[in-house]
Amino acid sequence: MNPIEDSRRIPFSAMFNFRDVGGYPGRDGRVVRWGRLYRSDSPHRIDGTDREAFAALGIRTVIDLRRPSEVDRDGRVPDLDGLAYRHIHPEHAEWGLRAHEPDTSLARYLADRYADLAETGTAGLAEAVGLIADSANAPVLVHCVAGKDRTGIVCALTLAVLGVDDDRIAEDYALSTEASERFSAWLAEAMPDAQKPPAPFLGSPAEAMALFLDELRQRHGSIEDYLRHAGVTDAQLAALRDHLLEQDAPAE
C-alpha cells in the first residue's frame, strides 16, 4: 500500500471502512481536498477512544443513507457537540428480492443493483450530493451499513463531478473489500454464532463501479446530466467543485 492510501484510511476499533476521499486528481489539474469528505460503514458503534478520535476530525455533518429499519435496528451516530445528523433514504428495492447467484458475476450483479437505486433513489441521491456541495456542512461523513454500496454511489457521483477519472473512482470503491474482510474478522470474534455475510455484502470489485458509471452515462449523457435529472442544480455542482477541489498539483 502506498503512503497516500495509508493516509486515506482512518483506523477505528469498531468501524472498518472509514476513509478520506481526498487526494485524487480532478478537474484542471486540481486535487480533491483532504479532510472535507469522509466515507464509512455505520458509526453507531462509536464509543470510548473511537469517540475521541471521531470528534477530533471536526466532522460537522453526518449523512446516513440507511433504510429507516436499519437505523431503528442499529441506532445512529452518537450525539456530539456541533454535529448535524441527516438521515436520507434513497428509495431502492430489497436486494433479497433478487439474490445473487453464486455462479454469476458479482460485478454485474452489483452494477445492476446500483443502476436500480440510481433510478428509484434520485431524490435521496440529489439531497445527499446537495448537502456535500454546501461548504457550510463540511467536513461531511457519508455512510450506510457497510459503507460500500449506497455510500459508494454517492461518493462516486461526487468524485465524477470533481473530475476524478473512473479508474480511480473504481479503485476507491474497491478499497471496501479489504474493509469488509476486517469487519468479517471482527464479527466472527465478537459474534461467533452470527452467520457470515453474503458475497454482495463483502465484495467490492472495481468492475462493478466502472460498469455503473459507464452505463449511467449511456442512459443520461453525463454524470452531471444524471444529477440534474435527479434534482441537483448547476449552482450546487459549481459549489461542489469550488470547495472540494484545491489548486495544488496532484501528489506523485
Side-chain angles (χ1 to χ4, degrees):
M1 179 133 346
N2 64 48
I4 290 181
E5 294 308 321
D6 283 341
S7 65
R8 186 175 306 290
R9 300 179 186 277
I10 301 173
F12 289 90
S13 65
M15 281 190 291
F16 309 94
N17 200 12
F18 197 107
R19 59 186 191 267
D20 194 323
V21 301
Y24 292 114
R27 291 166 61 100
D28 304 322
R30 301 166 73 188
V31 179
V32 181
R33 292 179 64 186
W34 293 98
R36 302 291 284 179
L37 177 61
Y38 300 97
R39 57 179 295 171
S40 79
D41 49 330
S42 178
H44 70 274
R45 292 183 294 267
I46 288 176
D47 199 3
T49 56
D50 277 359
R51 189 182 183 103
E52 295 175 8
F54 183 84
L57 294 172
I59 292 170
R60 293 182 184 175
T61 308
V62 171
I63 300 174
D64 183 346
L65 300 173
R66 295 174 298 166
R67 297 178 183 275
S69 60
E70 293 168 331
V71 179
D72 291 343
R73 180 192 68 198
D74 295 333
R76 45 153 286 185
V77 65
D79 286 317
L80 294 170
D81 290 343
L83 185 68
Y85 172 77
R86 299 293 295 268
H87 178 224
I88 299 171
H89 171 219
E91 297 285 343
H92 58 291
E94 292 279 1
W95 284 19
L97 299 175
R98 192 177 300 177
H100 173 247
E101 297 295 335
D103 59 345
T104 62
S105 167
L106 179 59
R108 181 69 269 168
Y109 173 84
L110 290 170
D112 288 344
R113 302 290 75 70
Y114 300 165
D116 291 344
L117 189 151
E119 294 306 311
T120 61
T122 50
L125 294 177
E127 185 179 358
V129 172
L131 286 171
I132 295 168
D134 186 344
S135 62
N137 295 327
V140 172
L141 168 66
V142 58
H143 79 87
C144 50
V145 174
K148 76 178 190 73
D149 301 311
R150 290 161 288 192
T151 298
I153 291 171
V154 168
C155 289
L157 296 173
T158 300
L159 290 173
V161 172
L162 298 178
V164 179
D165 67 59
D166 283 5
D167 286 345
R168 285 192 171 91
I169 295 173
E171 288 168 8
D172 179 79
Y173 162 82
L175 293 175
S176 290
T177 294
E178 183 183 343
S180 295
E181 292 169 357
R182 292 195 298 273
F183 170 76
S184 292
W186 173 83
L187 185 66
E189 182 176 348
M191 305 175 192
D193 295 331
Q195 188 174 15
K196 182 180 178 181
F201 185 89
L202 298 175
S204 304
E207 182 188 358
M209 185 53 68
L211 282 168
F212 167 69
L213 291 171
D214 182 59
E215 292 168 0
L216 194 66
R217 289 192 185 93
Q218 290 179 30
R219 289 192 296 275
H220 293 276
S222 70
I223 301 302
E224 289 85 354
D225 283 343
Y226 166 74
L227 288 170
R228 292 184 186 101
H229 157 76
V232 178
T233 67
D234 285 335
Q236 287 174 317
L237 294 174
L240 194 70
R241 299 182 183 113
D242 284 346
H243 88 89
L244 282 179
L245 288 172
E246 59 187 23
Q247 298 294 342
D248 295 339
E252 295 295 332

